[in-house]
Amino acid sequence: MIGHREFILKNKSLVSIDQLDRASLEVILSLAKSFKQQPNHRVLNNKIIATAFFEPSTRTRLSFETAVLRLSGQIIGFTDSRSTSSAKGESLEDTIRMLAGYADCIVVRHPEENSALRASKVSKVPIINAGDGSGEHPTQTLLDLFSILETQGRIDHLVIALTGDLKHGRTVHSLAKALRHYKIKLILMAHPGLEMPESIIQTCRSAGLDIEIRSQWDLSGGIDILYMTRYQKERWSGSLLDIAPFILTRTDFEKFNTKKTLKVMHPLPRVGEIDLSVDDAPQAYYFQQAENGLFVRQALLSLMLSDFKI
Amino acid sequence: MIGHREFILKNKSLVSIDQLDRASLEVILSLAKSFKQQPNHRVLNNKIIATAFFEPSTRTRLSFETAVLRLSGQIIGFTDSRSTSSAKGESLEDTIRMLAGYADCIVVRHPEENSALRASKVSKVPIINAGDGSGEHPTQTLLDLFSILETQGRIDHLVIALTGDLKHGRTVHSLAKALRHYKIKLILMAHPGLEMPESIIQTCRSAGLDIEIRSQWDLSGGIDILYMTRYQKERWSGSLLDIAPFILTRTDFEKFNTKKTLKVMHPLPRVGEIDLSVDDAPQAYYFQQAENGLFVRQALLSLMLSDFKI
Amino acid sequence: MIGHREFILKNKSLVSIDQLDRASLEVILSLAKSFKQQPNHRVLNNKIIATAFFEPSTRTRLSFETAVLRLSGQIIGFTDSRSTSSAKGESLEDTIRMLAGYADCIVVRHPEENSALRASKVSKVPIINAGDGSGEHPTQTLLDLFSILETQGRIDHLVIALTGDLKHGRTVHSLAKALRHYKIKLILMAHPGLEMPESIIQTCRSAGLDIEIRSQWDLSGGIDILYMTRYQKERWSGSLLDIAPFILTRTDFEKFNTKKTLKVMHPLPRVGEIDLSVDDAPQAYYFQQAENGLFVRQALLSLMLSDFKI
């Protein structure tokens, strides 16, 4: 693909995972694989990337910054809005215009939905959405897809179970939308009150996905990927007691006779929904998953900002 | 000029705009122009610059850091004093001595007047004042002068109006003092209670500047540069209603029949004194002005810390 | 030594000063000396070091970061835990696992004792303890030893007085333990209630150190090194009046007829225990001492992470 046509987001902003069709996703995942094998390249030489984190997110910020450094780029930025002119009343748009005068690309994390889109409208350099409130977090989806591919060798024809807070979880919303490009079975397993929004279910069904809804903790059915998410105390008022049955323990694998090749994924941080006993199990993949964020971000930055060829 | 005699601040500290005579200003502005055309040089190779921000100022900090990176220098620092030993009771002087042991130059932002001077007295490496409370902010003045020159092709013989909070605004104080080296007409336009201090007016008049005082919003009189400033809620207890007539709107240009070449400048952040409708007008120059900060800071760092020749 | 056998911590973690025997200490101090003469090397080229500061410590952080930059390494990190997932409830272990996926070495500062050890147990890359609460701070001890050696030309056969808060001071605990490898006389001088813990005194005595306890301010006895520490208001409820006799003033040198070559050291920040009048005295060495931190950290990073040969 690369070398034959221009990458769809070359010198453009990535605001939503919806901007990427299956062909574009595959270009990114393929390039990420080559960065995993050989991480250091000089494709961002003389380029400055701004990490504009209006709310803290260490994992995402450091993953982007490591990706930039391994590509020989350089970094300016801030880690939360207390240290910015936002505290003096400056608008998001004015802050972005300022950064666009200094940097060649701006990675934006902001607590408000649609903030990345707003940023992209006033910026003369590409924006990468690194999470906008309850909106999107497309590079998380890219690393999730890459991790699925890494562990199973393919994405098509898998059984993928999403569980945790499916109602408020930005991560699972974007992942479900991205998975509609593949031929998979999706199991949505949530405590009552935390179900996946109906609109997303419809989008996936319209695209031909086989969707099964479960309201109880049940790992049967040949699951290949168990994708868990955090219960966000800032978004959910329920008790941890309510979701206790939805906590993964090491005995679950035997109890439900899961596939030997099942892998557990989680966007992290976790706060109790995966028992520590799982960490040493061969099914645990969440730490490698986080590390994979580095390679998909290297791939994305290279494709957006340089003439990188595989 | 360069090549014939040493730059006046070579390996010295820049505490006040008063240290720079017209010849030195012109060397900086000329070198800034060449950095605007070709930003990347390696003159700070192997040099480490500390950004010591005892209070947050993202725009100034990132502008300095971008300047350093584009000159192949490297950065250490902090973004506010909560993360420093100041919180443990360490004096400014001791913190500066520590930084001078690590870095080749220290950019200091501090909430107290005269802090940059105090820093320069104990530092074995050059200090650059990046704003010391109600004191000075000389590199802001340099970028203001550069922006005037960029938009009008000259500084002499212009009509320059300063407006906003002329009483507390460090920016307009320093700019007025720097403009005394040029043959200009200065219009000082402020709401009663926010007038320019008499001492600065006298300094400028003594230097031969033609000064006109206006107490009402009036853009007539062949203004070339309209320089606006922010009403700082932390320094002024008046109501926004009082200064409502001093808010610039797009219709003002026609209403006062201003010059086609008039440019609006503002040190940013703005918090309402420029209506958003002005942003798209050809008169709006404040975002490019902020970007110009990069080039004058590159020029200053090069002249202070290297043997850079144009 | 180098070139003949592997450095004891090559690709391993430094958690406690107890891991270093006299031979290893001497390798580090010798290499630090060569970095003091020629600071820039490229031994960390293509390496990324994470500075994970769960509590602020600007001096230590910037010293490590400067060391990394002078060795051509690069830095990712955070300056305090408010900006991390710790605030979302993530465990230290999970944060470390994340960082180990991005960086080649992690410098950890954390308010809890044993946190560096816990970090080293889950990290696939080396950990350097940069202070773990009331536990250890081994690189501070290295710079203290290096400063003693720099000022006196040797460590053996010196008279070294430790004073200040000997009860809670992590710095003096580690220094005393490291000094047991040398043939010195140790004077422990503290206000009642702030004495050195008996266990550390026993450790030093068992190793053959000559130890003298003083409960009053007394600089007599041929002291070569006067090592002072800060009274930490967060750990000690006593009044500054109590410790007033333990404040060093410039007249003390004459009053106690101290050696001409006596040097005053302090880990900084100081908050009053050294009168400012001492700063200009030839005995004052605390600012140079802080700068020495750079060279021992360069030495340590080189020995741990590269095949550096002297």
Side-chain angles (χ1 to χ4, degrees):
Chain A
M1 193 80 50
I2 291 180
H4 296 288
R5 65 171 179 117
E6 189 106 301
F7 180 63
I8 196 170
L9 294 182
K10 180 82 182 284
N11 294 322
K12 294 198 175 63
S13 294
L14 173 59
V15 169
S16 163
I17 196 69
D18 293 340
Q19 294 172 262
L20 297 167
D21 57 15
R22 179 160 172 164
S24 303
L25 290 172
E26 284 175 357
V27 168
I28 296 170
L29 300 184
S30 161
L31 185 52
K33 180 75 180 176
S34 77
F35 279 121
K36 188 163 187 172
Q37 285 153 356
Q38 171 49 269
N40 292 314
H41 288 263
R42 299 188 56 78
V43 297
L44 295 187
N45 200 21
N46 277 337
K47 292 222 185 320
I48 294 176
I49 312 302
T51 47
F53 278 60
F54 292 85
E55 69 176 5
S57 176
T58 308
R59 195 178 315 274
T60 300
R61 181 173 61 83
L62 296 185
S63 174
F64 267 111
E65 294 188 359
T66 306
V68 169
L69 293 174
R70 293 209 172 159
L71 297 172
S72 293
Q74 291 181 293
I75 298 154
I76 59 170
F78 50 86
T79 59
D80 65 74
S81 62
R82 292 165 310 177
S83 303
T84 71
S85 290
S86 300
K88 297 175 188 163
E90 186 172 56
S91 70
L92 168 66
E93 281 81 358
D94 278 10
T95 304
I96 294 294
R97 284 184 184 106
M98 175 261 288
L99 292 167
Y102 303 152
D104 300 293
C105 173
I106 309 172
V107 178
V108 179
R109 172 83 161 211
H110 196 281
E112 289 170 28
E113 203 170 334
N114 287 321
S115 48
L117 182 64
R118 285 167 55 203
S120 72
K121 285 184 175 164
V122 298
S123 174
K124 64 179 182 184
V125 301
I127 298 288
I128 298 178
N129 184 359
D132 59 343
S134 52
E136 292 241 13
H137 189 359
T139 60
Q140 175 70 44
T141 307
L142 292 175
L143 79 88
D144 292 342
L145 293 175
F146 182 73
S147 296
I148 295 171
L149 187 59
E150 277 286 284
T151 57
Q152 309 291 344
R154 68 183 197 284
I155 300 178
D156 282 322
H157 309 305
L158 296 179
V159 178
I160 299 176
L162 310 182
T163 182
D165 181 350
L166 302 186
K167 183 173 179 187
H168 304 98
R170 163 180 71 190
T171 308
V172 281
H173 297 177
S174 292
L175 179 55
K177 289 198 290 178
L179 286 171
R180 77 180 194 280
H181 298 302
Y182 297 86
K183 295 170 181 44
I184 62 147
K185 174 170 180 181
L186 201 56
I187 297 174
L188 303 173
M189 184 162 62
H191 183 272
L194 294 174
E195 294 96 344
M196 180 69 77
E198 196 56 37
S199 63
I200 294 177
I201 295 178
Q202 286 314 320
T203 299
C204 292
R205 282 218 164 103
S206 304
L209 253 57
D210 178 9
I211 296 187
E212 178 188 335
I213 311 287
R214 295 181 184 176
S215 59
Q216 293 202 312
W217 184 252
D218 174 4
L219 302 189
S220 66
I223 293 172
D224 295 293
I225 296 288
L226 174 62
Y227 193 102
M228 305 194 63
T229 56
R230 178 165 64 97
Y231 295 93
Q232 303 181 301
K233 59 177 186 278
E234 62 270 32
R235 298 188 200 271
W236 187 55
S237 61
S239 153
L240 273 176
L241 281 178
D242 291 339
I243 51 118
F246 287 81
I247 292 175
L248 177 67
T249 59
R250 188 148 180 172
T251 55
D252 281 333
F253 302 123
E254 197 171 348
K255 178 176 167 192
F256 290 103
N257 192 25
T258 59
K259 289 177 82 166
K260 285 268 183 301
T261 53
L262 177 148
K263 294 293 173 188
V264 180
M265 292 174 51
H266 190 297
L268 303 177
R270 60 175 167 175
V271 289
E273 55 278 349
I274 301 178
D275 190 83
L276 295 182
S277 64
V278 179
D279 289 3
D280 296 328
Q283 289 88 348
Y285 192 73
Y286 27 94
F287 297 123
Q288 295 101 306
Q289 177 191 1
E291 193 171 339
N292 286 334
L294 182 50
F295 312 119
V296 295
R297 286 172 179 125
Q298 285 188 276
L300 183 69
L301 288 163
S302 300
L303 289 165
M304 287 175 68
L305 302 176
S306 80
D307 297 312
F308 191 78
K309 303 277 184 293
I310 293 185
Chain B
M1 191 80 51
I2 290 180
H4 296 288
R5 64 173 179 115
E6 189 105 298
F7 180 63
I8 197 170
L9 294 182
K10 180 81 182 286
N11 293 323
K12 294 198 175 62
S13 293
L14 173 58
V15 169
S16 164
I17 196 67
D18 293 341
Q19 294 172 262
L20 296 167
D21 56 15
R22 180 159 172 165
S24 302
L25 291 172
E26 284 174 357
V27 168
I28 296 169
L29 301 184
S30 162
L31 185 52
K33 181 73 180 178
S34 77
F35 279 120
K36 188 164 187 170
Q37 285 152 358
Q38 170 49 268
N40 292 314
H41 289 262
R42 299 187 57 78
V43 296
L44 295 187
N45 200 21
N46 277 338
K47 291 221 186 321
I48 294 177
I49 312 301
T51 47
F53 278 59
F54 292 86
E55 68 176 4
S57 176
T58 309
R59 194 178 316 275
T60 301
R61 180 173 62 82
L62 296 186
S63 174
F64 267 110
E65 294 189 359
T66 306
V68 169
L69 293 174
R70 293 208 173 160
L71 297 172
S72 294
Q74 291 181 293
I75 297 154
I76 59 169
F78 49 86
T79 59
D80 65 74
S81 62
R82 291 166 311 177
S83 303
T84 72
S85 290
S86 301
K88 297 176 189 165
E90 186 172 57
S91 70
L92 168 66
E93 281 81 358
D94 278 9
T95 304
I96 294 294
R97 284 184 184 104
M98 175 262 287
L99 292 168
Y102 302 151
D104 300 293
C105 172
I106 309 172
V107 177
V108 179
R109 172 82 162 212
H110 196 281
E112 290 171 27
E113 202 171 334
N114 287 320
S115 49
L117 182 64
R118 285 167 54 202
S120 71
K121 285 185 174 164
V122 298
S123 174
K124 64 179 183 185
V125 302
I127 298 289
I128 298 178
N129 184 359
D132 59 343
S134 52
E136 293 241 12
H137 190 0
T139 60
Q140 176 70 44
T141 307
L142 292 176
L143 80 87
D144 291 342
L145 293 175
F146 182 72
S147 296
I148 295 171
L149 188 59
E150 277 287 284
T151 57
Q152 309 291 342
R154 68 183 198 284
I155 300 178
D156 282 321
H157 309 304
L158 296 180
V159 178
I160 299 175
L162 309 183
T163 183
D165 181 349
L166 302 187
K167 183 174 179 187
H168 305 99
R170 164 179 71 189
T171 308
V172 281
H173 297 176
S174 293
L175 180 56
K177 288 198 290 179
L179 286 171
R180 77 180 194 279
H181 297 303
Y182 297 86
K183 296 169 180 42
I184 61 147
K185 175 172 180 180
L186 201 57
I187 297 173
L188 303 174
M189 185 161 62
H191 183 271
L194 294 174
E195 293 96 344
M196 180 70 78
E198 195 56 38
S199 62
I200 293 176
I201 295 178
Q202 286 313 321
T203 299
C204 291
R205 281 216 165 105
S206 305
L209 253 58
D210 177 9
I211 297 188
E212 179 188 334
I213 311 287
R214 295 181 184 176
S215 59
Q216 292 202 313
W217 184 252
D218 174 4
L219 302 188
S220 67
I223 294 171
D224 296 292
I225 296 288
L226 174 62
Y227 193 102
M228 305 194 63
T229 57
R230 177 165 65 98
Y231 294 93
Q232 303 181 299
K233 60 177 186 278
E234 62 270 32
R235 299 187 200 271
W236 187 54
S237 61
S239 155
L240 273 176
L241 280 178
D242 291 339
I243 51 118
F246 287 81
I247 293 174
L248 177 67
T249 58
R250 187 147 181 172
T251 55
D252 282 333
F253 302 123
E254 197 172 349
K255 178 176 167 192
F256 289 103
N257 192 25
T258 60
K259 290 177 80 166
K260 286 269 183 299
T261 53
L262 177 147
K263 294 293 174 189
V264 180
M265 291 174 51
H266 191 297
L268 303 180
R270 60 175 167 174
V271 289
E273 54 278 350
I274 301 177
D275 190 84
L276 295 181
S277 65
V278 178
D279 289 3
D280 296 328
Q283 289 89 346
Y285 192 73
Y286 27 94
F287 296 124
Q288 294 102 307
Q289 178 191 0
E291 193 171 339
N292 286 334
L294 182 50
F295 313 119
V296 295
R297 286 173 180 125
Q298 285 187 277
L300 183 68
L301 288 163
S302 300
L303 289 165
M304 288 175 68
L305 302 176
S306 79
D307 298 311
F308 191 79
K309 303 277 184 293
I310 293 186
Chain C
M1 192 79 51
I2 291 180
H4 295 288
R5 64 172 180 116
E6 189 106 298
F7 180 63
I8 197 170
L9 294 182
K10 181 82 182 285
N11 293 323
K12 295 198 175 63
S13 293
L14 173 58
V15 169
S16 164
I17 196 69
D18 293 340
Q19 294 172 260
L20 296 168
D21 57 15
R22 179 160 172 165
S24 302
L25 290 172
E26 284 174 359
V27 167
I28 296 170
L29 301 183
S30 162
L31 185 52
K33 181 74 179 177
S34 78
F35 279 120
K36 188 163 188 171
Q37 284 152 358
Q38 171 49 268
N40 292 314
H41 289 263
R42 299 187 57 78
V43 297
L44 295 187
N45 199 22
N46 276 339
K47 291 221 185 323
I48 294 177
I49 313 302
T51 48
F53 278 59
F54 292 86
E55 67 177 4
S57 176
T58 309
R59 194 178 316 275
T60 300
R61 180 173 61 82
L62 296 185
S63 174
F64 267 110
E65 295 189 358
T66 305
V68 169
L69 293 174
R70 293 209 173 161
L71 297 172
S72 294
Q74 291 182 293
I75 297 154
I76 59 170
F78 49 86
T79 59
D80 66 72
S81 61
R82 292 165 309 177
S83 303
T84 71
S85 291
S86 301
K88 296 176 189 164
E90 186 171 57
S91 71
L92 169 66
E93 282 80 359
D94 278 9
T95 304
I96 293 295
R97 284 184 183 104
M98 175 261 289
L99 292 168
Y102 303 152
D104 300 293
C105 173
I106 309 172
V107 178
V108 178
R109 172 84 162 210
H110 195 281
E112 289 170 27
E113 203 171 334
N114 288 320
S115 49
L117 182 63
R118 285 167 54 203
S120 71
K121 286 184 174 164
V122 298
S123 174
K124 65 179 181 184
V125 302
I127 298 289
I128 297 178
N129 183 359
D132 59 343
S134 52
E136 293 241 12
H137 189 359
T139 59
Q140 175 70 44
T141 307
L142 293 176
L143 79 88
D144 292 342
L145 293 175
F146 182 73
S147 297
I148 295 171
L149 188 60
E150 277 286 285
T151 57
Q152 309 291 342
R154 67 181 197 285
I155 299 178
D156 283 321
H157 310 304
L158 296 179
V159 178
I160 299 176
L162 309 183
T163 183
D165 182 350
L166 303 186
K167 183 174 179 186
H168 304 99
R170 164 179 71 190
T171 308
V172 281
H173 297 176
S174 293
L175 180 55
K177 289 197 290 178
L179 286 171
R180 79 180 193 280
H181 297 303
Y182 297 86
K183 296 170 178 46
I184 61 147
K185 175 172 181 181
L186 201 56
I187 297 173
L188 303 174
M189 185 162 61
H191 184 271
L194 294 174
E195 293 96 345
M196 179 70 78
E198 195 56 37
S199 63
I200 293 176
I201 295 178
Q202 286 313 320
T203 299
C204 291
R205 281 216 164 106
S206 305
L209 253 57
D210 177 10
I211 296 187
E212 179 189 334
I213 312 286
R214 295 181 184 176
S215 59
Q216 293 203 311
W217 184 251
D218 174 4
L219 302 188
S220 66
I223 294 171
D224 295 292
I225 296 289
L226 174 62
Y227 192 102
M228 305 193 64
T229 56
R230 179 165 63 97
Y231 295 93
Q232 303 181 300
K233 59 177 185 277
E234 62 271 33
R235 297 186 201 271
W236 187 55
S237 61
S239 154
L240 273 175
L241 280 178
D242 291 338
I243 52 117
F246 286 81
I247 292 175
L248 176 68
T249 60
R250 186 146 181 173
T251 55
D252 281 333
F253 302 122
E254 197 172 350
K255 177 177 166 192
F256 289 102
N257 192 26
T258 59
K259 290 176 80 166
K260 286 270 182 301
T261 53
L262 176 147
K263 294 293 173 189
V264 179
M265 292 174 52
H266 191 296
L268 302 178
R270 59 174 168 176
V271 288
E273 55 279 351
I274 301 178
D275 190 83
L276 295 182
S277 64
V278 179
D279 289 3
D280 296 329
Q283 289 89 345
Y285 192 73
Y286 27 94
F287 297 124
Q288 295 101 307
Q289 177 191 0
E291 193 171 340
N292 286 335
L294 182 50
F295 313 120
V296 296
R297 287 174 179 124
Q298 284 188 277
L300 184 69
L301 289 163
S302 300
L303 289 165
M304 287 174 68
L305 303 176
S306 79
D307 298 312
F308 192 78
K309 303 277 184 292
I310 293 186

